[in-house]
Amino acid sequence: MLIIKRILLVLILLVSIVLLAAYFMPKDYAVEREITINKPADSVFNYVRYLKNQNEFSVWANIDPKMKSTYTGTDGSVGAIAAWESDLKDVGVGEQEITKITEGKRIDFALRFKEPMNDTAVGFMSTEAVAGNQTKVKWGINGVFPYPMNVIMPMMKMDEMVGKDLQKGLENLKTKMEQ
């Protein structure tokens, strides 16, 4: 009986330590990447503002060629939604909605993941004219890990995991735009 009490005490202590650590850990993450494309800013912006076009350079949209995509609203304007469904765990089920457009500069969107996990995030793509016919494109995603799940955030390495996909997507965009 003494051994069972000690095991329970150790388990309670471990759970308490994890919960306490989670309380002090960050809950928010923000991942951002950028690339310079040799095209004028207006043509780059007018391409990335359309959700259907984003599927042509996004890493996630190209993981499952059998992914079912549906679009509602007027693509390229606030309220437009691109939804996806895939049996692959890496793609899952979700939707992206355009929430704000700063004409010629930035498109903001909400990401709602439904499967394999229920989660939300926000993202953006921005364009900025640099020199001549060059455009700096930024792509970012921000989200929150709720307490106490935020304790796993350091192990998730969101900047590496999501960042590599954003960077690859931007490289795909650069290739597409510069053809």
Side-chain angles (χ1 to χ4, degrees):
M1 189 64 155
L2 184 60
I3 290 177
I4 293 174
K5 286 183 181 180
R6 286 185 180 169
I7 290 172
L8 283 173
L9 185 61
V10 168
L11 286 175
I12 290 170
L13 185 62
L14 286 174
V15 169
S16 298
I17 290 171
V18 168
L19 291 175
L20 187 62
Y23 182 76
F24 291 103
M25 292 182 120
K27 294 170 186 65
D28 302 336
Y29 66 88
V31 181
E32 198 175 289
R33 294 294 186 271
E34 66 180 54
I35 199 163
T36 301
I37 296 176
N38 295 315
K39 283 284 187 186
D42 60 338
S43 65
V44 176
F45 180 80
N46 287 328
Y47 183 80
V48 300
R49 78 180 294 159
Y50 293 99
L51 298 173
K52 285 182 183 175
N53 290 347
Q54 290 182 23
N55 279 346
E56 294 185 17
F57 60 85
S58 167
V59 171
W60 302 294
N62 292 300
I63 291 174
D64 182 6
K66 296 178 184 176
M67 176 181 78
K68 179 184 172 193
S69 297
T70 57
Y71 300 91
T72 56
T74 304
D75 196 5
S77 63
V78 173
I81 297 174
W84 67 87
E85 285 184 48
S86 171
D87 293 330
L88 297 180
K89 188 177 129 185
D90 289 345
V91 180
V93 177
E95 62 186 18
Q96 174 180 347
E97 178 179 2
I98 298 174
T99 57
K100 181 180 177 185
I101 295 176
T102 305
E103 200 56 51
K105 299 282 184 203
R106 182 175 162 127
I107 177 171
D108 290 275
F109 47 86
L111 292 164
R112 294 182 283 271
F113 305 100
K114 299 173 183 175
E115 289 179 20
M117 63 181 176
N118 195 355
D119 192 19
T120 59
V122 294
F124 73 91
M125 291 193 82
S126 67
T127 58
E128 176 188 341
V130 269
N133 277 346
Q134 290 188 323
T135 304
K136 182 179 1 175
V137 179
K138 287 185 184 178
W139 193 359
I141 296 179
N142 308 308
V144 176
F145 272 83
Y147 173 85
M149 293 304 295
N150 63 312
V151 78
I152 66 168
M153 201 158 60
M155 294 172 273
M156 295 288 291
K157 298 181 180 176
M158 293 300 286
D159 192 67
E160 286 178 32
M161 187 172 66
V162 175
K164 71 176 175 53
D165 289 343
L166 292 179
Q167 190 63 46
K168 179 62 179 158
L170 287 171
E171 290 166 8
N172 293 343
L173 175 63
K174 180 179 175 73
T175 300
K176 184 124 188 106
M177 294 299 301
E178 292 180 358
Q179 287 181 354

